[in-house]
Amino acid sequence: MPLCEGNAPVKTFAKKKGDIMWISEIFCGAPSEERGDLETSVYRELDRLSIPFERVDNDAVHTMEECVAIDQALGAEIRKTIVLCNRKKTSFYLVVLPASKSVDTKEIGRLIGVSGLSFAPADKLQEILGAQPGSATVMGIIRDREDYVQVIIDREVADEEYFACNPGVNTSHIKLKTSDLIQKYLASNLHKPMIIAL
């Protein structure tokens, strides 16, 4: 499905009540109103780089299982993003995986040559990427001005045409071309991802 152009909704989804998740229609580009600091910064950066993207707003999600309805709405799987750190908490690794892949910190450490990896603490997520736990996103790399974070993308994710994630909050999700993420967004922010089979 090609990415839309302009800023008009392109597809409408039923707004559901009760315990079924609400997902908005699909919009092209950024919302007209200001959002949170990181989310707004992400939209501005995508616009600056002329990267087309589709967006939905949704009820807050906290698990990858809750993202399945959003996957279906956008036509692309929301990717799992975790942030790991070394023992001294001086080096950080933002790892992007398919939603269904389990996280094995020892195996990731072996593949990248770093032992003793653990999940980064919440205060470091906020400090380095501007994200809360549960909302970590590769888009937050625009906050990594000190180059603390190495981006690691699973080969399966890198090989897909489209990439979907949250823009810094778990109440919105975006879809863009994976090539635009890697060759424009990350490159413009001086991050060359390590692409490996995890």
Side-chain angles (χ1 to χ4, degrees):
M1 177 172 88
L3 293 168
C4 57
E5 296 178 9
N7 199 32
V10 295
K11 191 172 181 181
T12 302
F13 290 86
K15 295 180 168 112
K16 300 178 180 180
K17 298 179 181 177
D19 57 13
I20 298 175
M21 183 188 312
W22 170 82
I23 302 172
S24 75
E25 55 206 3
I26 295 176
F27 292 94
C28 296
S32 56
E33 75 278 3
E34 288 283 314
R35 299 281 179 99
D37 190 40
L38 177 57
E39 185 179 5
T40 297
S41 296
V42 167
Y43 296 143
R44 286 181 180 154
E45 183 70 353
L46 290 167
D47 185 55
R48 183 183 77 81
L49 296 170
S50 299
I51 297 175
F53 66 97
E54 295 175 349
R55 170 183 59 84
V56 294
D57 294 325
N58 50 266
D59 287 337
V61 293
H62 303 286
T63 67
M64 296 312 298
E65 291 77 20
E66 290 176 319
C67 290
V68 171
I70 301 167
D71 298 348
Q72 293 168 350
L74 284 173
E77 183 185 74
I78 306 301
R79 299 310 188 173
K80 182 186 296 184
T81 303
I82 60 167
V83 182
L84 304 174
C85 62
N86 63 359
R87 283 191 181 97
K88 294 182 179 179
K89 297 179 177 56
T90 54
S91 296
F92 296 84
Y93 307 89
L94 186 147
V95 183
V96 182
L97 304 155
S100 60
K101 257 190 194 176
S102 59
V103 176
D104 183 338
T105 57
K106 286 185 181 178
E107 179 62 11
I108 293 171
R110 185 189 70 75
L111 289 169
I112 66 172
V114 178
S115 61
L117 287 178
S118 62
F119 289 93
D123 63 325
K124 288 294 186 182
L125 278 179
Q126 181 63 44
E127 177 187 335
I128 297 169
L129 298 172
Q132 299 295 326
S135 295
T137 176
V138 71
M139 307 313 274
I141 214 69
I142 60 173
R143 293 297 178 86
D144 183 31
R145 303 292 182 210
E146 303 300 321
D147 196 24
Y148 285 121
V149 182
Q150 168 67 58
V151 177
I152 300 166
I153 300 177
D154 183 271
R155 166 95 30 216
E156 187 179 327
V157 171
D159 288 345
E160 287 291 326
E161 183 176 7
Y162 294 108
F163 181 87
C165 66
N166 77 62
V169 292
N170 63 8
T171 53
S172 292
H173 288 82
I174 60 175
K175 170 188 169 182
L176 63 155
K177 287 193 171 183
T178 306
S179 58
D180 283 344
L181 170 72
I182 294 171
Q183 297 165 16
K184 293 182 182 179
Y185 191 89
L186 293 177
S188 176
N189 286 282
L190 306 178
H191 282 79
K192 182 177 181 180
M194 182 184 299
I195 299 173
I196 54 178
L198 296 171

